[in-house]
Amino acid sequence: LVVDQFEELFRYAASAGGDKVLSADGVHARDEATQFVQLLLEASRAPPSRIHVLLTMRSDFIGDCARFHGLPEAVCEAQFLVPSLTRDQLDEVIREPVKKAGATIEPQLVERLLNDCSTEMDQLPVLQHCLSRLWDKAGAAGGGPRHLTEAHYRKIGEFSGALSQHADEILKELPGTRLQWAVEQIFRALSELDKEGRATRRALRYSQLVAETGVEEPAVR
């Protein structure tokens, strides 16, 4: 039984009140989360059980397991921290897909990418997006096999700015400042920082999203 992104349970359990007095919905959410964890623990502990429970979560949320009785002990018994890729492995991640697609990439660009992503915590998803943007930019040149270059890299905003630049481009394509403002309000409503400063998703019903953003429904949709 695989429970991916288990840290979402912590957000769910604390979604309606935090340290304040919980509402009825908050108590229900907390109790549901507690019962869910206990079911997982019981399933994994049953003597004749052939059930194996695998939880995946961001490492910075491991301490939050203490919110549920018995969970820290179970996690400690079988904890595995997924290691970061080595420089040689990252090199393969960059070169091999390009090679298999019949394209080429400048060696100096590979070195730039390796150096620029080496200090990032969430390097793989950002690197994936950066390579995707490089691929599109190289294809826009037209004619023959694609060749990814440092010039393309600079045009997409490099590793640190590629995602923001892409988001800004999409935002500018929206007709009118009203829709652009709606996007900002929606993203603010759907994310939040917890007490430790960690960015997490904030799940909302669509009706709540419309009400909280203060934007008319057609614009939100």
Side-chain angles (χ1 to χ4, degrees):
L1 177 62
V2 180
V3 186
D4 195 18
Q5 295 182 317
F6 188 76
E7 68 272 10
E8 287 292 308
L9 189 71
F10 305 135
R11 176 199 57 75
Y12 177 75
S15 61
D19 292 333
K20 301 174 184 178
V21 177
L22 288 178
S23 64
D25 288 341
V27 171
H28 179 70
R30 182 196 61 195
D31 291 347
E32 271 197 329
T34 301
Q35 291 167 11
F36 179 66
V37 170
Q38 293 308 311
L39 285 171
L40 292 177
L41 292 173
E42 288 300 321
S44 66
R45 291 170 179 165
S49 176
R50 296 173 59 189
I51 297 175
H52 297 273
V53 179
L54 174 65
L55 311 179
T56 72
M57 75 180 89
R58 284 164 45 184
S59 58
D60 49 332
F61 279 88
I62 288 179
D64 291 81
C65 292
R67 297 186 187 185
F68 299 99
H69 179 72
L71 183 59
E73 293 80 1
V75 169
C76 286
E77 286 177 8
Q79 183 180 140
F80 176 75
L81 295 177
V82 179
S84 299
L85 295 183
T86 65
R87 189 177 178 91
D88 287 342
Q89 289 170 330
L90 280 172
D91 187 279
E92 288 185 27
V93 165
I94 295 169
R95 292 181 186 270
E96 289 303 313
V98 174
K99 180 181 177 181
K100 288 185 178 182
T104 54
I105 183 170
E106 285 182 347
Q108 56 266 39
L109 174 55
V110 176
E111 288 300 312
R112 282 287 307 278
L113 287 166
L114 290 172
N115 291 335
D116 290 350
C117 75
S118 61
T119 58
E120 294 291 328
M121 280 285 291
D122 300 318
Q123 57 182 217
L124 284 181
V126 180
L127 177 61
Q128 179 187 28
H129 173 265
C130 190
L131 289 170
S132 176
R133 293 283 285 168
L134 278 169
W135 182 261
D136 292 341
K137 186 63 70 174
R146 302 186 199 211
H147 181 57
L148 282 62
T149 68
E150 279 195 283
H152 296 136
Y153 188 55
R154 288 190 291 271
K155 287 179 181 178
I156 67 166
E158 303 185 1
F159 192 86
S160 60
L163 189 60
S164 294
Q165 182 174 307
H166 190 189
D168 287 340
E169 290 174 7
I170 295 172
L171 193 63
K172 289 176 182 176
E173 291 175 359
L174 293 175
T177 56
R178 181 65 177 172
L179 277 181
Q180 295 177 8
W181 182 79
V183 169
E184 180 179 347
Q185 299 309 308
I186 289 169
F187 271 89
R188 288 183 184 277
L190 292 177
S191 61
E192 63 184 350
L193 295 177
D194 64 12
K195 295 177 181 178
E196 285 72 37
R198 300 171 299 192
T200 59
R201 286 179 292 187
R202 179 172 176 255
L204 290 175
R205 294 186 180 277
Y206 183 69
S207 57
Q208 289 177 286
L209 181 63
V210 174
E212 286 198 17
T213 56
V215 181
E216 59 273 13
E217 194 274 342
V220 173
R221 187 174 296 278

